[in-house]
């Protein structure tokens, strides 16, 4: 930001690495990477490297004021210390799991339950698949492409097809199927052990329904000829196949 309105002159703005004075970017002042709004000059370089000290240099005349008829040149920057800065340290730490849902070792899990992993940082989809395996024989019952999962911040939701009742399952994920969102793209190490995230679905109902009452009652008399016949069971019911017979 200058003390008066500015304009583009001619020449380049250089971004250099402090450690060895090498030029990492050369930006033509007349390019779209340099914009001027009154007293403010904005330089938009390509992304720089993490954890690196840089400095900026430009020759006299690269920028000028707006004086008329002859603009005055900005004297430029030649010192390595006049405008130097250091970029942020890159995230080099792999994401870790805070919680699994259902929890590891959970029982009575509904067969249609979503599987949710909550991490310690925002996550992104990598490449590969998430496997759901049967604990008893290590067979793979479902392979879910990571592209079919939902990622929201630190939460990854896996929506498998309904599982079977009364079965113990475990989940495996290869390294790189999930990553963090840092510029370094650190991979989640994954799950290889069958005991890291296993759970057992709820036992299925294997008890036949029984009748609570008949209406009209068994052996009832004086029943209206138009009466409906009602059976009340001990649990919710559905239609199967076949016929109901009324006999004399």
């Amino acid at each position: 930001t200058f003390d008066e309105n500015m304009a583009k002159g001619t020449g380049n703005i250089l971004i250099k690495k402090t450690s060895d004075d090498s030029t990492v970017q050369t930006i033509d002042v007349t390019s779209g990477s340099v914009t001027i709004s009154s007293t403010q000059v904005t330089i938009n370089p390509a992304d720089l490297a993490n954890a690196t000290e840089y400095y900026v240099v430009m020759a006299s005349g690269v920028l000028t004021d707006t004086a008329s008829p002859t603009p005055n040149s900005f004297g430029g920057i030649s010192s390595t210390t006049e405008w130097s800065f250091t970029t942020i340290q890159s995230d080099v730490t792999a994401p870790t799991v805070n919680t699994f849902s259902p929890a590891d070792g959970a029982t009575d899990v509904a067969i249609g339950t979503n599987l949710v992993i909550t991490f310690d940082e925002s996550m992104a989809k990598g490449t590969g698949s998430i496997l759901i395996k049967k604990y008893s024989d290590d067979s793979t019952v479902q392979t879910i492409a990571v592209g079919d999962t939902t990622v929201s911040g630190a939460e990854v939701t896996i929506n498998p097809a309904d599982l079977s009742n009364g079965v113990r399952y475990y989940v495996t994920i290869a390294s790189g199927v999930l990553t963090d969102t840092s510029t370094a793209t650190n991979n989640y190490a994954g799950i290889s052990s069958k005991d890291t995230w296993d759970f057992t679905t709820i036992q299925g109902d294997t008890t036949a329904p029984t009748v609570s009452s008949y209406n009209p009652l068994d052996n009832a008399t004086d029943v209206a000829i138009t009466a409906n016949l009602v059976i009340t069971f001990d649990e919710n019911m559905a239609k199967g196949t076949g016929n109901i017979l009324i006999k004399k």
Side-chain angles (χ1 to χ4, degrees), residues 66-71:
T66 57
S68 179
T70 305

Side-chain angles (χ1 to χ4, degrees), residues 52-67:
T52 304
E53 185 178 7
Y54 298 96
Y55 65 95
V56 179
V57 298
M58 68 182 81
S60 175
V62 171
L63 296 169
T64 72
D65 64 14
T66 57

Side-chain angles (χ1 to χ4, degrees), residues 169-185:
Y169 296 97
Y170 67 96
V171 179
T172 64
I173 305 173
S175 175
V177 172
L178 296 167
T179 74
D180 65 15
T181 56
S182 70
T183 55
T185 312

Side-chain angles (χ1 to χ4, degrees), residues 7-40:
K8 296 181 181 183
T10 58
N12 298 311
I13 298 167
L14 307 181
I15 301 176
K16 290 175 167 278
K17 194 182 293 185
T18 301
S19 61
D20 59 8
D21 297 315
S22 60
T23 299
V24 296
Q25 290 189 44
T26 300
I27 302 168
D28 187 336
V29 71
T30 62
S31 72
S33 297
V34 180
T35 56
I36 298 178
S37 177
S38 300
T39 61
Q40 188 175 73

Side-chain angles (χ1 to χ4, degrees), residues 102-103 106-113 115 163-165 199-203:
T107 58
D108 293 331
V109 175
I111 60 173
T113 295
L115 311 181
L163 300 170
S164 297
N165 289 104
F199 56 89
T200 303
T201 53
I202 191 167
Q203 183 65 47

